[in-house]
Amino acid sequence: MKVLFLAPHLSTGGMPAFLLKRIEALLGYTDTEVFVIEWKSYSNTYTVQRSQIQNLLGNNFIPFWGDIEKQKTIVDFCYQKQIDIIHIEEIPEGFDGHNPFDFELQKELYNKKHPWKIVETCHNVYFNPDEYKLLEPDGYSFVTPYHLNNTFKNRQAKKTIIPFPIDPTIQYFDTQSNLLKNNGWLTKGEFHILNIGLWTQGKNQKYALDIAKSLYEKYGWTYIFHFIGNQAPNFKDYWEPLMNDLPPNVFILGERDDVDKYFKMCDLMLFTSTWECNPIVLKEAISNNIRIMAHNLEHYQDEYTDFINPLSGDIKIDKLKVLETIHSPIKYQLDFHENDVKNFALEHISFYKSLNEK
């Protein structure tokens, strides 16, 4: 089988990370040949997932750079490479306004005269298909039950849910004490708290900073906070003022390609986001068997109830819950008898093949 993934962009974020995991799984557990077209490059700076995808695929990675004339060659490309499945990593009608999917090109690509099947995945919770969807794919592959049960319930195309897998093999090999020592922490019993995400209002890092400041005022260096995530220029109005009033127990680490090391190094992941679809970082935290505090959002459909200690949104309550959680056993324990990543790969193949069934 030959699968072409079409991504609107491969700047840092959940969608590129999800695509990277798809590629790794399909290459690792199936004989699928994978191609990726990047519709437009948003940045040359924040490219952790893009670089890994390019290294995996070599010449099968095609940057289109947003050139509409070049995009029109995609039909010829699909015939040349004998593509069986075109899997689009966002709803084409929902591509960013500065990075549109030309409707005439979409109509041609979706024309049933072509031999390939079209699959779409939505990575957001704001697109309304009943209002804005113009063309129907052959199938939808959802990342969350919320899309199946709510957002896309009226769509007629074939549907499945293929969520991001739990993968305990991504756990870092070293011990927490060694990692702390090797990163310059001469430990005296401190506790380390991790926050991950692009610095935006929806990710809500300010709330975590407020908790950090409150704990520092009472406990000093006992509770240390590590923030991983890029500070993109287009969100500068949010994050720049926060940088002017950081408590001493906060370390801003930027975007990194060694996040797994920090999962192992820290005692708690404090995920303060209030605007999510189905965040990969929660699956990565579970895979690393770390304590988790997060908002149990409606869009999660209770998928994480057994794993997270829920945030209340009241800082007086939540700073005490941080202390309670960090000094308590982990709420869950990994006990997987099957290879979740292999199943993740095979679920793709099963769904792709089903699109040819009458």
Side-chain angles (χ1 to χ4, degrees), residues 22-34 56-57 345:
R22 290 197 208 272
I23 295 167
E24 290 174 339
L26 288 171
L27 294 181
Y29 294 102
T30 75
D31 59 359
T32 307
E33 185 173 8
V34 176
L56 281 171
L57 297 184

Side-chain angles (χ1 to χ4, degrees), residues 15 18 32 99 125 137 150 173 217 268 296 330 348 353:
M15 180 273 292
F18 203 111
T32 307
N99 182 27
V125 293
N150 299 81
F173 64 89
E217 290 171 354
L268 167 71
N296 197 6
I330 297 172
H348 283 79
K353 289 182 176 179

Side-chain angles (χ1 to χ4, degrees), residues 238-281:
Y238 173 72
W239 58 259
E240 188 174 48
L242 300 178
M243 297 302 100
N244 297 325
D245 189 29
L246 295 176
N249 61 334
V250 164
F251 292 84
I252 308 299
L253 304 172
E255 184 178 28
R256 304 184 65 91
D257 59 5
D258 59 350
V259 179
D260 54 341
K261 179 173 72 175
Y262 284 86
F263 277 122
K264 190 63 173 283
M265 195 177 83
C266 292
D267 302 282
L268 167 71
M269 190 186 80
L270 178 62
F271 187 61
T272 48
S273 183
T274 58
W275 181 250
E276 292 289 342
C277 179
N278 193 343
I280 289 172
V281 69

Side-chain angles (χ1 to χ4, degrees), residues 4 6 37 39 64 69-83 86 101 104-111 113-116 118:
L4 168 64
L6 197 161
I37 286 178
W39 213 237
F64 267 31
E69 293 304 316
K70 196 172 184 181
Q71 289 172 3
K72 290 179 181 177
T73 66
I74 188 173
V75 173
D76 292 336
F77 175 88
C78 290
Y79 274 104
Q80 178 189 353
K81 299 299 182 181
Q82 298 180 313
I83 298 298
I86 300 174
F101 197 125
E104 293 303 317
L105 176 57
Q106 186 188 356
K107 282 200 300 184
E108 174 58 29
L109 196 64
Y110 281 51
N111 194 313
K113 70 181 180 182
H114 299 307
W116 51 77
I118 304 283

